[in-house]
Coordinates of all heavy atoms in Angstrom, one line a residue:
L26 N -56.2 85.4 5.2 CA -55.0 84.7 5.3 C -55.3 83.2 5.2 O -56.3 82.7 5.9 CB -54.3 84.9 6.7 CG -53.1 84.0 7.0 CD1 -51.9 84.3 6.1 CD2 -52.8 84.2 8.5
T27 N -54.6 82.5 4.4 CA -54.8 81.0 4.3 C -53.5 80.4 3.8 O -52.5 81.1 3.6 CB -55.9 80.7 3.3 OG1 -56.2 79.3 3.3 CG2 -55.6 81.1 1.9
T28 N -53.4 79.1 3.7 CA -52.3 78.5 3.1 C -52.8 77.7 1.9 O -54.0 77.4 1.8 CB -51.6 77.5 4.1 OG1 -52.5 76.6 4.7 CG2 -51.0 78.3 5.3
T29 N -51.9 77.4 1.0 CA -52.3 76.7 -0.2 C -53.2 75.4 0.1 O -52.7 74.6 0.9 CB -51.1 76.3 -1.0 OG1 -50.4 77.5 -1.3 CG2 -51.5 75.6 -2.3
G30 N -54.4 75.4 -0.5 CA -55.2 74.2 -0.3 C -56.0 74.2 0.9 O -56.8 73.2 1.1
C31 N -55.9 75.2 1.7 CA -56.7 75.2 3.0 C -57.8 76.3 3.0 O -57.8 77.2 2.2 CB -55.7 75.6 4.2 SG -54.5 74.3 4.5
L32 N -58.7 76.1 3.9 CA -59.7 77.1 4.1 C -59.1 78.3 4.8 O -58.0 78.3 5.3 CB -60.9 76.5 4.9 CG -61.7 75.4 4.2 CD1 -62.7 74.8 5.2 CD2 -62.4 76.0 3.0
S33 N -59.9 79.4 5.0 CA -59.4 80.6 5.6 C -59.0 80.4 7.1 O -59.6 79.6 7.8 CB -60.5 81.6 5.6 OG -61.0 81.8 4.3
L34 N -57.9 81.0 7.5 CA -57.4 81.0 8.8 C -57.9 82.2 9.6 O -58.3 82.1 10.8 CB -55.9 80.9 8.9 CG -55.2 79.7 8.3 CD1 -53.7 79.9 8.2 CD2 -55.6 78.5 9.2
I35 N -57.9 83.3 8.9 CA -58.5 84.6 9.4 C -59.0 85.3 8.1 O -58.5 84.9 7.0 CB -57.6 85.4 10.2 CG1 -56.4 85.9 9.4 CG2 -57.2 84.8 11.5 CD1 -55.5 86.9 10.1
G36 N -59.8 86.3 8.3 CA -60.1 87.0 7.1 C -61.0 88.3 7.3 O -61.5 88.5 8.4
L37 N -61.1 89.0 6.2 CA -62.0 90.2 6.2 C -62.7 90.1 4.8 O -62.0 90.1 3.8 CB -61.1 91.5 6.3 CG -61.8 92.8 6.0 CD1 -62.8 93.1 7.1 CD2 -60.8 93.9 5.9
N38 N -64.0 90.1 4.8 CA -64.7 90.0 3.5 C -65.1 91.4 3.0 O -64.9 92.4 3.7 CB -65.9 89.0 3.6 CG -67.0 89.5 4.4 OD1 -67.1 90.7 4.8 ND2 -68.0 88.6 4.7
E39 N -65.7 91.4 1.8 CA -66.1 92.6 1.2 C -67.2 93.3 1.9 O -67.4 94.5 1.7 CB -66.4 92.4 -0.3 CG -67.4 91.3 -0.6 CD -66.8 89.9 -0.7 OE1 -65.6 89.8 -0.8 OE2 -67.6 89.0 -0.5
A40 N -67.9 92.7 2.8 CA -69.0 93.3 3.6 C -68.4 93.9 4.8 O -69.1 94.5 5.6 CB -70.0 92.3 3.9
G41 N -67.1 93.8 5.1 CA -66.4 94.4 6.2 C -66.4 93.5 7.5 O -66.1 94.0 8.6
I42 N -66.8 92.2 7.3 CA -66.8 91.3 8.4 C -65.5 90.6 8.6 O -64.9 90.1 7.6 CB -67.9 90.2 8.2 CG1 -69.3 90.9 8.1 CG2 -67.9 89.2 9.4 CD1 -70.4 90.0 7.6
A43 N -64.9 90.8 9.8 CA -63.6 90.2 10.1 C -63.8 89.0 11.0 O -64.6 89.1 12.0 CB -62.6 91.2 10.7
V44 N -63.1 87.9 10.7 CA -63.3 86.7 11.6 C -61.9 86.1 11.8 O -61.1 86.0 10.9 CB -64.2 85.6 10.8 CG1 -64.4 84.4 11.7 CG2 -65.5 86.2 10.4
G45 N -61.7 85.5 13.0 CA -60.5 84.8 13.3 C -60.7 84.1 14.6 O -61.8 84.1 15.2
T46 N -59.7 83.4 15.1 CA -59.7 82.7 16.3 C -58.4 83.0 17.1 O -57.4 83.4 16.5 CB -59.8 81.2 16.2 OG1 -58.7 80.7 15.6 CG2 -61.1 80.8 15.4
T47 N -58.5 82.7 18.4 CA -57.2 82.7 19.1 C -56.9 81.2 19.2 O -57.7 80.3 18.9 CB -57.4 83.2 20.6 OG1 -58.3 82.3 21.3 CG2 -58.0 84.6 20.5
N48 N -55.7 80.9 19.7 CA -55.3 79.5 19.9 C -55.5 79.1 21.3 O -54.9 78.1 21.7 CB -53.9 79.3 19.4 CG -53.8 79.1 17.9 OD1 -54.8 78.6 17.3 ND2 -52.8 79.5 17.3
L49 N -56.2 79.9 22.1 CA -56.5 79.5 23.5 C -57.5 78.4 23.4 O -58.5 78.4 22.7 CB -57.2 80.7 24.2 CG -56.3 81.9 24.4 CD1 -57.1 83.0 25.0 CD2 -55.1 81.6 25.3
R50 N -57.2 77.3 24.1 CA -58.1 76.1 24.1 C -59.1 76.2 25.1 O -58.9 76.8 26.2 CB -57.2 74.9 24.3 CG -56.1 74.7 23.4 CD -56.6 74.4 22.0 NE -55.6 74.1 21.1 CZ -55.5 74.5 19.8 NH1 -56.5 75.1 19.3 NH2 -54.5 74.1 19.0
T51 N -60.3 75.7 24.8 CA -61.4 75.6 25.8 C -61.5 74.2 26.2 O -60.8 73.3 25.7 CB -62.7 76.1 25.1 OG1 -63.0 75.2 24.0 CG2 -62.6 77.5 24.6
T52 N -62.5 73.9 27.0 CA -62.7 72.5 27.5 C -63.9 71.8 26.9 O -64.3 70.8 27.4 CB -62.9 72.6 29.1 OG1 -64.0 73.4 29.4 CG2 -61.6 73.1 29.7
D53 N -64.5 72.4 25.8 CA -65.7 71.8 25.3 C -65.5 71.2 23.9 O -66.4 71.1 23.1 CB -66.8 72.9 25.2 CG -66.5 74.0 24.3 OD1 -65.4 74.2 23.9 OD2 -67.5 74.8 23.9
A54 N -64.3 70.7 23.6 CA -64.1 70.1 22.3 C -64.9 68.8 22.2 O -65.1 68.1 23.1 CB -62.6 69.8 22.1
R55 N -65.4 68.6 21.0 CA -66.3 67.4 20.8 C -66.3 67.1 19.3 O -65.8 67.9 18.5 CB -67.7 67.6 21.3 CG -68.4 68.9 20.7 CD -69.6 69.2 21.4 NE -70.2 70.4 20.9 CZ -69.9 71.7 21.2 NH1 -68.9 71.9 22.0 NH2 -70.5 72.7 20.7
R56 N -67.0 66.1 18.8 CA -67.2 65.8 17.4 C -68.0 66.9 16.8 O -69.0 67.4 17.4 CB -67.9 64.5 17.2 CG -67.1 63.3 17.6 CD -67.9 62.1 17.3 NE -67.2 60.9 17.9 CZ -67.0 59.8 17.2 NH1 -67.5 59.6 16.0 NH2 -66.3 58.8 17.8
G57 N -67.6 67.4 15.6 CA -68.4 68.4 15.0 C -67.6 69.0 13.9 O -66.8 68.4 13.2
V58 N -67.9 70.3 13.6 CA -67.4 71.1 12.5 C -66.0 71.6 12.8 O -65.8 72.2 13.9 CB -68.3 72.2 12.1 CG1 -67.8 73.0 10.9 CG2 -69.7 71.7 11.8
N59 N -65.1 71.5 11.9 CA -63.7 72.0 12.0 C -63.7 73.5 12.1 O -64.5 74.2 11.4 CB -62.9 71.5 10.9 CG -61.5 72.0 10.9 OD1 -61.3 73.2 10.6 ND2 -60.6 71.1 11.2
Y60 N -62.9 74.1 12.9 CA -62.9 75.6 13.1 C -62.6 76.3 11.8 O -63.1 77.4 11.5 CB -61.9 76.0 14.2 CG -60.5 76.0 13.8 CD1 -59.8 77.2 13.5 CD2 -59.7 74.9 13.8 CE1 -58.5 77.2 13.2 CE2 -58.4 74.9 13.5 CZ -57.8 76.1 13.2 OH -56.4 76.1 12.9
L61 N -61.8 75.7 10.9 CA -61.5 76.4 9.6 C -62.8 76.5 8.8 O -63.0 77.5 8.1 CB -60.4 75.7 8.8 CG -59.0 75.6 9.5 CD1 -58.1 74.8 8.7 CD2 -58.5 77.0 9.7
S62 N -63.6 75.5 8.8 CA -64.9 75.5 8.1 C -65.8 76.6 8.6 O -66.5 77.2 7.9 CB -65.6 74.1 8.1 OG -64.8 73.2 7.5
I63 N -65.8 76.8 9.9 CA -66.7 77.8 10.6 C -66.2 79.2 10.1 O -67.0 80.0 9.8 CB -66.7 77.6 12.1 CG1 -67.3 76.3 12.5 CG2 -67.4 78.8 12.8 CD1 -67.2 75.9 13.9
I64 N -64.9 79.4 10.2 CA -64.4 80.7 9.7 C -64.8 81.0 8.3 O -65.2 82.1 7.9 CB -62.9 80.8 9.9 CG1 -62.5 80.8 11.4 CG2 -62.3 82.0 9.2 CD1 -61.1 80.6 11.7
H65 N -64.6 80.0 7.4 CA -64.8 80.1 6.0 C -66.3 80.4 5.8 O -66.7 81.3 5.0 CB -64.4 78.8 5.3 CG -64.4 78.9 3.8 ND1 -63.5 79.7 3.1 CD2 -65.3 78.4 2.9 CE1 -63.8 79.6 1.8 NE2 -64.8 78.8 1.7
K66 N -67.2 79.7 6.5 CA -68.6 80.0 6.3 C -69.0 81.4 6.8 O -69.8 82.1 6.2 CB -69.5 78.9 7.0 CG -70.9 79.1 6.8 CD -71.8 78.0 7.4 CE -73.2 78.2 7.1 NZ -74.1 77.2 7.7
A67 N -68.5 81.8 8.0 CA -68.8 83.1 8.5 C -68.3 84.2 7.5 O -69.0 85.2 7.4 CB -68.1 83.3 9.9
L68 N -67.2 84.0 6.9 CA -66.7 85.0 5.9 C -67.5 85.1 4.7 O -67.4 86.0 3.9 CB -65.2 84.7 5.6 CG -64.2 85.1 6.6 CD1 -62.8 84.6 6.3 CD2 -64.2 86.6 6.9
S69 N -68.3 84.1 4.4 CA -69.2 84.1 3.2 C -70.5 84.8 3.5 O -71.3 85.0 2.5 CB -69.5 82.7 2.7 OG -70.3 82.0 3.6
Q70 N -70.7 85.3 4.7 CA -72.0 86.0 5.0 C -71.9 87.4 4.6 O -70.9 88.0 4.5 CB -72.3 85.9 6.5 CG -72.3 84.4 7.1 CD -73.3 83.6 6.3 OE1 -74.5 83.9 6.2 NE2 -72.8 82.5 5.7
R71 N -73.1 88.0 4.4 CA -73.2 89.4 3.9 C -73.5 90.4 5.1 O -73.4 91.6 4.9 CB -74.4 89.5 2.9 CG -74.3 88.6 1.7 CD -73.1 88.6 0.9 NE -72.4 89.9 0.8 CZ -71.1 90.0 0.7 NH1 -70.3 89.0 0.8 NH2 -70.6 91.2 0.6
D72 N -73.9 89.8 6.3 CA -74.2 90.7 7.4 C -73.6 90.1 8.7 O -73.4 88.9 8.8 CB -75.7 91.0 7.5 CG -76.5 89.8 7.8 OD1 -76.6 89.4 9.0 OD2 -77.0 89.2 6.9
F73 N -73.3 91.0 9.6 CA -72.7 90.6 10.9 C -73.5 89.6 11.7 O -72.9 88.6 12.2 CB -72.4 91.8 11.7 CG -71.6 91.6 13.0 CD1 -70.3 91.3 12.9 CD2 -72.3 91.6 14.2 CE1 -69.6 91.0 14.1 CE2 -71.6 91.3 15.4 CZ -70.2 91.0 15.3
E74 N -74.8 89.7 11.8 CA -75.6 88.8 12.6 C -75.5 87.4 12.0 O -75.5 86.4 12.8 CB -77.0 89.3 12.6 CG -77.2 90.6 13.4 CD -76.8 91.9 12.7 OE1 -76.6 91.8 11.4 OE2 -76.6 92.9 13.3
S75 N -75.5 87.3 10.7 CA -75.4 85.9 10.1 C -74.1 85.3 10.3 O -74.0 84.1 10.5 CB -75.7 86.0 8.6 OG -77.0 86.5 8.3
A76 N -73.0 86.1 10.3 CA -71.7 85.6 10.6 C -71.6 85.1 12.0 O -71.0 84.0 12.3 CB -70.6 86.7 10.3
V77 N -72.1 85.9 12.9 CA -72.1 85.5 14.3 C -72.9 84.2 14.5 O -72.5 83.2 15.2 CB -72.7 86.6 15.3 CG1 -72.9 86.1 16.7 CG2 -71.8 87.8 15.3
A78 N -74.0 84.0 13.8 CA -74.9 82.8 13.9 C -74.1 81.6 13.4 O -74.3 80.5 14.0 CB -76.1 83.0 13.1
C79 N -73.2 81.8 12.4 CA -72.4 80.6 11.9 C -71.6 80.1 13.0 O -71.4 78.8 13.2 CB -71.5 81.1 10.8 SG -72.4 81.4 9.3
V80 N -71.0 80.9 13.9 CA -70.2 80.5 15.0 C -71.0 79.9 16.1 O -70.7 78.9 16.7 CB -69.2 81.6 15.5 CG1 -68.4 81.2 16.7 CG2 -68.3 82.1 14.3
E81 N -72.0 80.7 16.5 CA -72.8 80.3 17.6 C -73.6 79.0 17.5 O -73.9 78.3 18.4 CB -73.8 81.4 18.0 CG -73.1 82.6 18.6 CD -74.1 83.7 19.0 OE1 -75.2 83.8 18.5 OE2 -73.7 84.5 19.8
T82 N -74.1 78.7 16.2 CA -74.9 77.6 16.0 C -74.2 76.3 15.6 O -74.8 75.2 15.5 CB -76.1 77.9 15.0 OG1 -75.5 78.2 13.8 CG2 -76.9 79.0 15.5
A83 N -72.9 76.5 15.2 CA -72.2 75.3 14.7 C -71.9 74.3 15.9 O -71.6 74.8 17.0 CB -70.9 75.7 14.1
T84 N -71.9 73.1 15.6 CA -71.4 72.1 16.5 C -69.9 72.0 16.4 O -69.4 71.4 15.5 CB -72.1 70.7 16.3 OG1 -73.5 70.8 16.3 CG2 -71.6 69.7 17.3
R85 N -69.2 72.8 17.2 CA -67.8 73.0 17.0 C -67.0 71.8 17.5 O -67.1 71.4 18.6 CB -67.4 74.3 17.8 CG -68.0 75.5 17.2 CD -67.6 76.8 18.0 NE -67.9 76.6 19.4 CZ -69.0 76.9 20.0 NH1 -70.1 77.2 19.3 NH2 -69.2 76.8 21.3
A86 N -66.1 71.3 16.6 CA -65.2 70.2 17.0 C -64.0 70.8 17.7 O -63.5 70.3 18.7 CB -64.8 69.4 15.8
G87 N -63.4 71.9 17.2 CA -62.2 72.5 17.7 C -62.6 73.4 18.8 O -63.5 74.2 18.7
A88 N -61.8 73.4 19.8 CA -62.0 74.3 21.0 C -61.2 75.6 20.8 O -60.1 75.7 21.3 CB -61.7 73.6 22.3
H89 N -61.8 76.6 20.2 CA -61.1 77.8 19.9 C -62.1 78.9 20.4 O -63.3 78.8 20.4 CB -60.8 78.1 18.4 CG -59.8 77.2 17.9 ND1 -58.5 77.6 17.8 CD2 -59.8 75.9 17.4 CE1 -57.7 76.6 17.3 NE2 -58.5 75.6 17.1
Y90 N -61.5 80.1 20.7 CA -62.3 81.3 20.9 C -62.3 82.1 19.6 O -61.3 82.3 19.0 CB -61.7 82.2 22.0 CG -61.9 81.6 23.4 CD1 -60.9 80.9 24.0 CD2 -63.1 81.8 24.1 CE1 -61.1 80.3 25.3 CE2 -63.3 81.3 25.3 CZ -62.3 80.5 25.9 OH -62.5 80.0 27.2
Y91 N -63.5 82.5 19.2 CA -63.7 83.2 17.9 C -63.8 84.7 18.2 O -64.4 85.1 19.2 CB -64.9 82.7 17.2 CG -64.8 81.3 16.7 CD1 -65.0 80.2 17.6 CD2 -64.5 81.0 15.4 CE1 -64.9 78.9 17.2 CE2 -64.3 79.7 15.0 CZ -64.5 78.6 15.9 OH -64.4 77.3 15.5
Y92 N -63.4 85.5 17.2 CA -63.7 86.9 17.3 C -64.2 87.4 16.0 O -63.8 86.9 14.9 CB -62.4 87.7 17.7 CG -61.2 87.6 16.8 CD1 -61.1 88.4 15.7 CD2 -60.2 86.7 17.2 CE1 -59.9 88.2 14.9 CE2 -59.1 86.5 16.4 CZ -59.0 87.3 15.2 OH -57.9 87.2 14.4
L93 N -65.2 88.2 16.0 CA -65.8 88.8 14.8 C -66.0 90.3 15.0 O -66.4 90.7 16.1 CB -67.2 88.2 14.5 CG -67.2 86.7 14.1 CD1 -67.4 85.8 15.3 CD2 -68.3 86.5 13.1
T94 N -65.7 91.0 14.0 CA -65.9 92.5 14.0 C -66.5 92.9 12.7 O -66.5 92.2 11.7 CB -64.6 93.2 14.2 OG1 -63.7 93.0 13.2 CG2 -64.0 92.9 15.6

């Protein structure tokens, strides 16, 4: 799912990896990578562990909870 001109909001790639976020806010927002960019990068991965690493290692700017399956 996306909107015209935007990166992925949620998605399922051909490797079967699904990624999205909730809109629950956390308290650790800071300067860093936008959550849409993190989702987009995770969806470009070929295996689950790499997708998880995209979320875990990113310096996240947006305070969202991510889910990956």
